[in-house]
Coordinates of all heavy atoms in Angstrom, one line a residue:
M1 N -53.4 40.8 -1.5 CA -54.2 40.7 -0.3 C -55.1 41.9 -0.2 O -56.2 41.8 0.3 CB -53.3 40.5 0.9 CG -54.1 40.2 2.1 SD -55.2 38.8 1.9 CE -54.7 37.6 3.1
H2 N -54.7 43.1 -0.6 CA -55.5 44.3 -0.5 C -56.8 44.2 -1.3 O -57.8 44.8 -1.0 CB -54.7 45.6 -0.8 CG -53.8 45.9 0.3 ND1 -52.6 45.3 0.5 CD2 -53.9 46.9 1.3 CE1 -52.0 45.9 1.6 NE2 -52.8 46.8 2.0
A3 N -56.7 43.5 -2.5 CA -57.9 43.4 -3.3 C -58.9 42.6 -2.6 O -60.1 42.9 -2.7 CB -57.5 42.7 -4.6
L4 N -58.5 41.5 -1.9 CA -59.5 40.8 -1.1 C -60.0 41.6 0.1 O -61.2 41.5 0.4 CB -58.8 39.5 -0.6 CG -58.5 38.4 -1.6 CD1 -57.7 37.3 -0.9 CD2 -59.7 37.9 -2.3
G5 N -59.1 42.4 0.7 CA -59.6 43.3 1.8 C -60.6 44.3 1.3 O -61.5 44.6 2.0
L6 N -60.3 44.8 0.1 CA -61.3 45.8 -0.4 C -62.7 45.2 -0.6 O -63.7 45.7 -0.2 CB -60.7 46.3 -1.8 CG -61.5 47.4 -2.4 CD1 -61.5 48.7 -1.6 CD2 -61.0 47.7 -3.8
R7 N -62.7 44.0 -1.2 CA -63.9 43.3 -1.4 C -64.6 43.0 0.0 O -65.8 43.1 0.1 CB -63.7 42.0 -2.1 CG -65.0 41.2 -2.4 CD -64.9 40.3 -3.5 NE -64.8 41.0 -4.7 CZ -64.5 40.4 -5.9 NH1 -64.3 39.2 -6.0 NH2 -64.5 41.2 -7.0
A8 N -63.8 42.6 1.0 CA -64.4 42.3 2.3 C -65.0 43.6 2.9 O -66.0 43.6 3.6 CB -63.3 41.7 3.3
C9 N -64.3 44.7 2.7 CA -64.8 46.0 3.3 C -66.1 46.4 2.6 O -67.0 46.9 3.3 CB -63.7 47.1 3.1 SG -62.3 46.9 4.1
F10 N -66.2 46.2 1.3 CA -67.4 46.5 0.6 C -68.5 45.6 1.2 O -69.7 46.0 1.4 CB -67.3 46.2 -0.9 CG -66.5 47.3 -1.6 CD1 -65.9 47.0 -2.8 CD2 -66.4 48.6 -1.1 CE1 -65.2 48.0 -3.5 CE2 -65.7 49.5 -1.8 CZ -65.0 49.2 -3.0
G11 N -68.2 44.3 1.4 CA -69.2 43.4 2.0 C -69.6 43.9 3.4 O -70.8 43.8 3.8
L12 N -68.7 44.4 4.2 CA -69.0 44.9 5.5 C -69.9 46.1 5.4 O -70.9 46.2 6.2 CB -67.7 45.4 6.2 CG -67.8 45.9 7.6 CD1 -68.5 44.9 8.6 CD2 -66.5 46.4 8.1
I13 N -69.7 47.0 4.5 CA -70.6 48.2 4.3 C -72.0 47.7 3.9 O -73.0 48.1 4.5 CB -70.0 49.1 3.2 CG1 -68.7 49.7 3.6 CG2 -71.1 50.1 2.7 CD1 -68.0 50.4 2.5
R14 N -72.1 46.7 3.0 CA -73.4 46.2 2.6 C -74.1 45.5 3.8 O -75.3 45.6 4.0 CB -73.3 45.3 1.4 CG -72.9 46.0 0.2 CD -73.0 45.1 -1.0 NE -72.6 45.7 -2.2 CZ -73.4 46.5 -3.0 NH1 -74.6 46.8 -2.6 NH2 -72.9 47.0 -4.1
S15 N -73.3 44.8 4.6 CA -73.9 44.1 5.8 C -74.5 45.0 6.8 O -75.4 44.6 7.6 CB -72.9 43.2 6.4 OG -72.0 43.9 7.2
Q16 N -74.1 46.2 6.8 CA -74.7 47.2 7.7 C -75.9 47.9 7.1 O -76.5 48.8 7.7 CB -73.6 48.3 8.1 CG -72.4 47.7 8.7 CD -72.7 47.0 10.0 OE1 -73.3 47.6 10.9 NE2 -72.4 45.7 10.1
G17 N -76.3 47.5 5.9 CA -77.5 48.1 5.3 C -77.3 49.3 4.4 O -78.2 49.9 4.0
Y18 N -76.0 49.6 4.1 CA -75.7 50.7 3.3 C -75.3 50.3 1.9 O -74.9 49.2 1.7 CB -74.5 51.5 3.9 CG -74.7 52.0 5.3 CD1 -74.1 51.4 6.4 CD2 -75.5 53.1 5.5 CE1 -74.3 51.9 7.6 CE2 -75.7 53.6 6.7 CZ -75.1 53.0 7.8 OH -75.3 53.5 9.1
E19 N -75.6 51.2 1.0 CA -75.2 51.0 -0.4 C -73.8 51.6 -0.7 O -73.4 52.6 0.0 CB -76.2 51.6 -1.4 CG -77.5 50.9 -1.4 CD -77.4 49.4 -1.9 OE1 -76.7 49.2 -2.8 OE2 -78.0 48.5 -1.2
L20 N -73.1 51.1 -1.6 CA -71.8 51.7 -2.0 C -72.0 53.0 -2.7 O -72.9 53.1 -3.6 CB -71.0 50.7 -2.8 CG -70.6 49.4 -2.2 CD1 -69.9 48.5 -3.2 CD2 -69.7 49.7 -0.9
Y21 N -71.2 54.0 -2.4 CA -71.3 55.3 -3.0 C -69.9 55.8 -3.1 O -69.1 55.7 -2.2 CB -72.2 56.2 -2.2 CG -72.3 57.6 -2.8 CD1 -73.2 57.8 -3.8 CD2 -71.4 58.6 -2.4 CE1 -73.3 59.1 -4.4 CE2 -71.5 59.9 -3.0 CZ -72.5 60.1 -4.0 OH -72.6 61.3 -4.6
P22 N -69.5 56.4 -4.2 CA -70.2 56.6 -5.4 C -70.3 55.3 -6.2 O -69.7 54.3 -5.9 CB -69.3 57.6 -6.2 CG -68.0 57.5 -5.6 CD -68.1 57.0 -4.2
R23 N -71.1 55.4 -7.2 CA -71.5 54.2 -8.0 C -70.3 53.5 -8.6 O -70.3 52.3 -8.9 CB -72.5 54.5 -9.1 CG -73.8 55.1 -8.6 CD -74.6 54.2 -7.8 NE -75.0 52.9 -8.5 CZ -75.3 51.8 -7.8 NH1 -75.4 51.8 -6.5 NH2 -75.6 50.7 -8.5
G24 N -69.2 54.2 -8.8 CA -68.0 53.6 -9.4 C -67.5 52.5 -8.5 O -66.8 51.6 -8.9
K25 N -67.7 52.6 -7.2 CA -67.3 51.5 -6.3 C -68.0 50.2 -6.5 O -67.5 49.2 -6.3 CB -67.5 52.0 -4.8 CG -66.5 53.1 -4.4 CD -66.6 53.5 -3.0 CE -65.6 54.6 -2.7 NZ -65.8 55.1 -1.3
V26 N -69.3 50.3 -7.0 CA -70.0 49.1 -7.3 C -69.3 48.4 -8.5 O -69.2 47.2 -8.5 CB -71.5 49.5 -7.7 CG1 -72.2 48.2 -8.2 CG2 -72.2 50.1 -6.5
R27 N -68.9 49.2 -9.5 CA -68.2 48.6 -10.6 C -66.9 48.0 -10.1 O -66.5 46.9 -10.5 CB -67.9 49.6 -11.7 CG -69.2 50.0 -12.4 CD -68.9 50.8 -13.7 NE -68.5 52.2 -13.3 CZ -69.2 53.2 -13.1 NH1 -70.6 53.1 -13.1 NH2 -68.7 54.4 -12.8
L28 N -66.2 48.6 -9.2 CA -64.9 48.1 -8.6 C -65.2 46.8 -7.9 O -64.4 45.9 -8.0 CB -64.3 49.2 -7.7 CG -63.0 48.9 -7.1 CD1 -61.9 48.7 -8.2 CD2 -62.6 50.0 -6.2
E29 N -66.3 46.8 -7.2 CA -66.6 45.6 -6.4 C -66.8 44.4 -7.3 O -66.5 43.2 -7.0 CB -67.8 45.8 -5.6 CG -68.3 44.6 -4.7 CD -69.6 44.9 -4.0 OE1 -70.5 45.6 -4.6 OE2 -69.7 44.4 -2.9
R30 N -67.4 44.6 -8.5 CA -67.7 43.5 -9.4 C -66.5 43.0 -10.3 O -66.6 42.0 -10.9 CB -68.8 44.0 -10.4 CG -70.1 44.2 -9.6 CD -71.2 44.7 -10.6 NE -72.5 44.9 -9.8 CZ -73.4 45.7 -10.1 NH1 -73.3 46.4 -11.2 NH2 -74.5 45.8 -9.4
L31 N -65.4 43.8 -10.2 CA -64.3 43.3 -11.0 C -63.6 42.1 -10.4 O -63.7 41.9 -9.1 CB -63.2 44.5 -11.0 CG -63.5 45.7 -11.9 CD1 -62.4 46.7 -11.7 CD2 -63.6 45.3 -13.3
P32 N -63.1 41.2 -11.2 CA -62.4 40.1 -10.6 C -61.2 40.5 -9.7 O -60.6 41.6 -10.0 CB -61.8 39.3 -11.8 CG -62.6 39.8 -13.0 CD -63.0 41.2 -12.6
V33 N -60.9 39.8 -8.7 CA -59.9 40.1 -7.7 C -58.5 40.3 -8.4 O -57.8 41.3 -8.0 CB -59.8 39.1 -6.6 CG1 -58.6 39.2 -5.7 CG2 -61.1 39.1 -5.7
P34 N -58.1 39.5 -9.3 CA -56.8 39.8 -10.0 C -56.8 41.1 -10.7 O -55.7 41.7 -10.8 CB -56.7 38.6 -11.0 CG -57.5 37.5 -10.4 CD -58.7 38.2 -9.8
V35 N -57.9 41.6 -11.3 CA -57.9 42.9 -11.9 C -57.7 44.0 -10.9 O -56.9 44.9 -11.1 CB -59.2 43.0 -12.7 CG1 -59.3 44.4 -13.3 CG2 -59.3 42.0 -13.9
V36 N -58.4 43.9 -9.8 CA -58.3 44.9 -8.7 C -56.9 44.9 -8.2 O -56.3 45.9 -8.0 CB -59.3 44.7 -7.6 CG1 -59.1 45.6 -6.5 CG2 -60.7 44.8 -8.2
A37 N -56.3 43.7 -8.0 CA -54.9 43.6 -7.5 C -54.0 44.2 -8.5 O -53.0 45.0 -8.0 CB -54.6 42.1 -7.3
A38 N -54.2 44.0 -9.8 CA -53.3 44.7 -10.8 C -53.4 46.2 -10.7 O -52.4 46.9 -10.9 CB -53.6 44.1 -12.2
M39 N -54.7 46.7 -10.6 CA -54.9 48.1 -10.5 C -54.2 48.7 -9.3 O -53.5 49.7 -9.4 CB -56.4 48.4 -10.4 CG -57.1 48.2 -11.7 SD -58.9 48.3 -11.6 CE -59.1 49.9 -10.8
L40 N -54.3 48.0 -8.1 CA -53.6 48.5 -6.9 C -52.1 48.5 -7.1 O -51.4 49.4 -6.6 CB -54.1 47.7 -5.7 CG -55.6 47.9 -5.3 CD1 -56.0 46.9 -4.2 CD2 -55.8 49.3 -4.9
W41 N -51.6 47.4 -7.7 CA -50.2 47.3 -7.9 C -49.7 48.5 -8.8 O -48.7 49.1 -8.5 CB -49.8 46.0 -8.5 CG -48.3 45.9 -8.8 CD1 -47.4 45.5 -7.9 CD2 -47.6 46.2 -10.0 NE1 -46.1 45.5 -8.5 CE2 -46.3 46.0 -9.8 CE3 -48.1 46.7 -11.2 CZ2 -45.3 46.2 -10.8 CZ3 -47.1 47.0 -12.2 CH2 -45.7 46.7 -12.0
G42 N -50.5 48.8 -9.9 CA -50.1 49.9 -10.7 C -50.1 51.2 -10.0 O -49.2 52.0 -10.2
L43 N -51.1 51.4 -9.2 CA -51.1 52.7 -8.4 C -49.9 52.7 -7.4 O -49.4 53.8 -7.1 CB -52.4 52.8 -7.6 CG -53.6 53.1 -8.5 CD1 -54.9 53.0 -7.6 CD2 -53.5 54.6 -9.0
S44 N -49.5 51.6 -6.9 CA -48.4 51.6 -6.0 C -47.1 52.0 -6.6 O -46.1 52.3 -5.9 CB -48.3 50.2 -5.3 OG -47.7 49.3 -6.1
R45 N -47.0 52.0 -7.9 CA -45.8 52.4 -8.7 C -45.7 53.9 -8.8 O -44.7 54.4 -9.2 CB -45.8 51.8 -10.1 CG -45.9 50.3 -10.1 CD -44.7 49.5 -9.5 NE -45.2 49.1 -8.2 CZ -44.4 48.7 -7.2 NH1 -43.1 48.6 -7.3 NH2 -44.9 48.3 -6.0
V46 N -46.8 54.6 -8.5 CA -46.8 56.1 -8.6 C -46.4 56.7 -7.3 O -47.0 56.5 -6.3 CB -48.3 56.6 -9.0 CG1 -48.3 58.1 -9.1 CG2 -48.7 55.9 -10.3
M47 N -45.3 57.4 -7.3 CA -44.7 58.0 -6.1 C -45.7 58.9 -5.3 O -45.8 58.8 -4.1 CB -43.4 58.8 -6.4 CG -42.8 59.4 -5.2 SD -42.3 58.2 -3.9 CE -40.8 57.6 -4.7
A48 N -46.4 59.7 -6.0 CA -47.4 60.6 -5.4 C -48.4 59.8 -4.6 O -48.9 60.2 -3.5 CB -48.1 61.5 -6.4
F49 N -48.9 58.7 -5.2 CA -49.9 57.8 -4.5 C -49.3 57.2 -3.2 O -49.9 57.1 -2.2 CB -50.4 56.8 -5.5 CG -51.5 56.0 -5.0 CD1 -52.8 56.6 -4.9 CD2 -51.4 54.7 -4.6 CE1 -53.9 55.8 -4.5 CE2 -52.5 53.9 -4.1 CZ -53.7 54.5 -4.1
R50 N -48.0 56.7 -3.3 CA -47.3 56.1 -2.2 C -47.2 57.1 -1.1 O -47.4 56.8 0.1 CB -46.0 55.5 -2.6 CG -46.1 54.3 -3.4 CD -44.8 53.5 -3.4 NE -43.6 54.2 -3.7 CZ -43.0 54.2 -4.9 NH1 -43.5 53.6 -5.9 NH2 -41.9 54.9 -5.0
V51 N -46.8 58.4 -1.4 CA -46.7 59.4 -0.4 C -48.0 59.7 0.3 O -48.1 59.8 1.5 CB -46.1 60.7 -1.0 CG1 -46.1 61.9 -0.1 CG2 -44.6 60.4 -1.4
L52 N -49.1 59.8 -0.5 CA -50.4 60.0 0.0 C -50.8 59.0 1.0 O -51.3 59.2 2.0 CB -51.4 60.1 -1.2 CG -52.9 60.3 -0.8 CD1 -53.1 61.7 -0.1 CD2 -53.8 60.1 -2.0
L53 N -50.6 57.7 0.6 CA -51.0 56.6 1.5 C -50.1 56.6 2.8 O -50.6 56.3 3.9 CB -50.8 55.3 0.8 CG -51.8 55.0 -0.3 CD1 -51.5 53.7 -1.0 CD2 -53.2 55.0 0.2
A54 N -48.9 57.0 2.7 CA -48.0 57.0 3.9 C -48.4 58.0 4.9 O -48.3 57.8 6.1 CB -46.6 57.2 3.4
T55 N -49.0 59.1 4.4 CA -49.4 60.2 5.3 C -50.7 59.8 6.1 O -51.0 60.4 7.1 CB -49.6 61.5 4.6 OG1 -50.7 61.4 3.6 CG2 -48.4 62.0 3.9
G56 N -51.4 58.8 5.6 CA -52.6 58.4 6.3 C -52.5 57.1 7.0 O -53.6 56.5 7.3
E57 N -51.3 56.7 7.4 CA -51.1 55.4 8.1 C -51.9 55.3 9.4 O -52.6 54.3 9.6 CB -49.7 55.2 8.3 CG -49.4 53.8 8.8 CD -47.9 53.5 8.9 OE1 -47.1 54.0 8.1 OE2 -47.5 52.7 9.8
A58 N -51.9 56.3 10.2 CA -52.6 56.3 11.5 C -54.1 56.2 11.3 O -54.8 55.4 12.0 CB -52.2 57.5 12.4
E59 N -54.6 57.0 10.4 CA -56.0 56.9 10.1 C -56.4 55.6 9.5 O -57.5 55.0 9.9 CB -56.4 58.0 9.1 CG -57.8 58.1 8.7 CD -58.1 59.1 7.7 OE1 -57.2 59.7 7.1 OE2 -59.3 59.3 7.4
C60 N -55.6 55.0 8.7 CA -55.9 53.7 8.1 C -56.0 52.6 9.2 O -56.9 51.8 9.3 CB -54.8 53.3 7.1 SG -55.0 51.7 6.4
C61 N -55.0 52.7 10.1 CA -55.0 51.7 11.3 C -56.3 51.9 12.1 O -56.9 50.9 12.5 CB -53.8 51.9 12.1 SG -52.2 51.4 11.3
A62 N -56.7 53.1 12.4 CA -57.8 53.4 13.2 C -59.1 52.9 12.5 O -60.0 52.2 13.1 CB -58.0 54.8 13.5
L63 N -59.2 53.1 11.2 CA -60.4 52.6 10.4 C -60.5 51.1 10.4 O -61.6 50.5 10.6 CB -60.4 53.2 9.0 CG -60.7 54.7 8.9 CD1 -60.4 55.1 7.4 CD2 -62.1 55.0 9.2
I64 N -59.4 50.5 10.2 CA -59.4 49.0 10.2 C -59.8 48.4 11.6 O -60.6 47.5 11.7 CB -58.0 48.5 9.8 CG1 -57.9 48.8 8.2 CG2 -57.9 47.0 10.0 CD1 -56.5 48.5 7.7
E65 N -59.3 49.0 12.6 CA -59.6 48.6 14.0 C -61.2 48.7 14.2 O -61.8 47.9 14.8 CB -58.9 49.4 15.1 CG -57.4 49.0 15.1 CD -57.2 47.5 15.4 OE1 -57.9 47.0 16.2 OE2 -56.2 47.0 14.9
E66 N -61.7 49.9 13.8 CA -63.2 50.1 13.9 C -64.0 49.1 13.1 O -65.0 48.5 13.5 CB -63.6 51.5 13.5 CG -63.1 52.5 14.5 CD -63.8 52.3 15.9 OE1 -65.0 52.1 16.0 OE2 -63.0 52.5 16.9
M67 N -63.5 48.7 11.9 CA -64.1 47.8 11.0 C -64.1 46.4 11.7 O -65.1 45.6 11.7 CB -63.5 47.7 9.6 CG -63.9 48.9 8.8 SD -63.3 48.6 7.1 CE -61.6 49.3 7.2
L68 N -63.0 46.1 12.3 CA -62.9 44.8 13.0 C -63.8 44.6 14.2 O -64.2 43.5 14.5 CB -61.4 44.5 13.4 CG -60.5 44.3 12.2 CD1 -59.0 44.2 12.6 CD2 -60.9 43.0 11.4
V69 N -64.1 45.8 14.8 CA -65.0 45.7 15.9 C -66.4 45.3 15.4 O -67.1 44.5 16.0 CB -65.1 47.1 16.6 CG1 -66.3 47.2 17.6 CG2 -63.8 47.4 17.4
V70 N -66.8 45.9 14.3 CA -68.1 45.5 13.7 C -68.2 44.1 13.3 O -69.2 43.4 13.4 CB -68.4 46.5 12.5 CG1 -69.7 46.1 11.8 CG2 -68.5 47.9 12.9
T71 N -67.0 43.6 12.8 CA -67.0 42.2 12.3 C -67.2 41.2 13.5 O -67.4 40.0 13.2 CB -65.8 41.8 11.5 OG1 -64.6 42.0 12.4 CG2 -65.6 42.7 10.3
G72 N -67.1 41.6 14.7 CA -67.4 40.8 15.9 C -68.8 40.3 16.0 O -69.1 39.4 16.7
D73 N -69.7 41.0 15.3 CA -71.1 40.7 15.3 C -71.3 39.4 14.5 O -70.9 39.3 13.4 CB -71.9 41.9 14.7 CG -73.4 41.6 14.7 OD1 -73.9 40.5 15.0 OD2 -74.1 42.6 14.3
P74 N -71.9 38.4 15.1 CA -72.1 37.1 14.4 C -73.0 37.2 13.1 O -72.8 36.4 12.2 CB -72.8 36.2 15.4 CG -72.7 36.9 16.7 CD -72.4 38.3 16.5
A75 N -73.8 38.3 13.0 CA -74.6 38.4 11.9 C -73.8 38.9 10.7 O -74.2 38.8 9.5 CB -75.7 39.4 12.1
V76 N -72.6 39.5 10.9 CA -71.7 40.0 9.8 C -70.9 38.9 9.3 O -70.1 38.3 10.1 CB -70.9 41.2 10.4 CG1 -69.9 41.6 9.3 CG2 -71.8 42.3 10.8
Q77 N -71.0 38.5 8.1 CA -70.3 37.4 7.5 C -69.3 38.0 6.4 O -69.6 38.1 5.2 CB -71.2 36.4 6.8 CG -72.2 35.8 7.7 CD -71.6 34.9 8.7 OE1 -70.7 34.2 8.4 NE2 -72.0 35.0 10.0
V78 N -68.1 38.5 6.9 CA -67.1 39.0 6.0 C -65.8 38.4 6.4 O -65.6 37.8 7.5 CB -67.0 40.5 6.0 CG1 -68.3 41.2 5.6 CG2 -66.6 41.0 7.4
N79 N -64.8 38.5 5.5 CA -63.5 37.9 5.7 C -62.7 38.9 6.5 O -62.0 39.8 6.1 CB -62.8 37.7 4.3 CG -61.5 37.0 4.4 OD1 -60.9 36.9 5.5 ND2 -61.0 36.5 3.3
C80 N -62.7 38.7 7.8 CA -62.0 39.5 8.8 C -60.5 39.5 8.6 O -59.8 40.5 8.7 CB -62.3 39.1 10.2 SG -64.0 39.2 10.7
D81 N -60.0 38.3 8.2 CA -58.5 38.2 7.9 C -58.1 39.1 6.8 O -57.0 39.7 6.8 CB -58.1 36.8 7.7 CG -58.3 35.9 8.9 OD1 -58.2 36.4 10.0 OD2 -58.5 34.7 8.8
A82 N -58.9 39.2 5.8 CA -58.6 40.1 4.6 C -58.6 41.5 5.0 O -57.7 42.3 4.6 CB -59.6 39.8 3.5
I83 N -59.5 41.9 5.9 CA -59.5 43.3 6.4 C -58.3 43.6 7.3 O -57.6 44.6 7.1 CB -60.8 43.6 7.1 CG1 -62.0 43.6 6.2 CG2 -60.7 45.0 7.8 CD1 -63.4 43.7 6.8
R84 N -58.0 42.6 8.1 CA -56.8 42.8 9.1 C -55.5 42.8 8.3 O -54.6 43.6 8.6 CB -56.8 41.6 10.0 CG -55.9 41.7 11.2 CD -56.0 40.5 12.2 NE -57.3 40.6 12.9 CZ -58.3 39.7 12.7 NH1 -58.2 38.7 11.9 NH2 -59.4 39.9 13.4
A85 N -55.4 42.1 7.2 CA -54.2 42.1 6.4 C -54.0 43.5 5.7 O -52.8 43.7 5.3 CB -54.3 41.0 5.3
M86 N -55.0 44.3 5.6 CA -54.8 45.6 5.0 C -54.1 46.6 5.9 O -53.6 47.7 5.5 CB -56.1 46.2 4.6 CG -56.8 45.4 3.4 SD -58.4 46.0 3.0 CE -58.1 47.7 2.5
K87 N -54.0 46.3 7.2 CA -53.4 47.2 8.2 C -51.9 47.3 7.9 O -51.2 46.3 7.8 CB -53.7 46.6 9.6 CG -53.3 47.6 10.7 CD -53.8 47.0 12.0 CE -53.5 48.0 13.1 NZ -53.9 47.5 14.4
P88 N -51.5 48.5 7.9 CA -50.0 48.7 7.6 C -49.2 48.1 8.7 O -49.6 48.1 9.9 CB -49.8 50.3 7.7 CG -51.2 50.8 7.5 CD -52.2 49.8 8.0
S89 N -48.1 47.5 8.3 CA -47.2 46.8 9.3 C -46.4 47.9 10.0 O -46.0 48.9 9.4 CB -46.4 45.7 8.7 OG -45.6 46.3 7.6
A90 N -46.0 47.6 11.2 CA -45.3 48.6 12.0 C -43.8 48.5 11.6 O -43.2 47.7 11.1 CB -45.4 48.3 13.5

């Protein structure tokens, strides 16, 4: 689900008139969803990465809430459910 959320977040950035930066994110956006999911799964096997993500849980929740506010605009056509699914569970 995070791979779909990542794609939706990139779409949200573009819908606001911004380009993705750094350019590596453009390549990431173009990868098939199963490839991105496999990459994220692989990273989740690395303890240091899991610890890093756990320390930013509050920030992650806040960012997702702010993104969901923007998706309330009818002009923004992104998968809100995919973004919402990225929010850490309590």
Side-chain angles (χ1 to χ4, degrees):
M1 190 52 120
H2 283 80
L4 291 173
L6 183 66
R7 183 159 288 171
C9 290
F10 287 156
L12 179 62
I13 292 167
R14 290 188 184 280
S15 75
Q16 299 301 300
Y18 298 106
E19 290 298 316
L20 296 177
Y21 180 83
R23 298 298 301 162
K25 290 181 181 178
V26 173
R27 288 189 291 274
L28 183 61
E29 180 186 35
R30 291 180 181 153
L31 289 173
V33 170
V35 172
V36 176
M39 289 171 53
L40 292 172
W41 179 86
L43 285 171
S44 75
R45 305 295 100 193
V46 178
M47 179 58 77
F49 190 73
R50 288 198 312 258
V51 169
L52 175 67
L53 290 179
T55 60
E57 187 174 328
E59 180 182 8
C60 179
C61 289
L63 287 170
I64 289 172
E65 289 300 323
E66 288 298 317
M67 286 188 274
L68 291 173
V69 167
V70 173
T71 60
D73 181 351
V76 176
Q77 301 293 318
V78 297
N79 186 345
C80 300
D81 291 334
I83 294 173
R84 192 173 291 110
M86 293 175 64
K87 190 172 182 179
S89 58

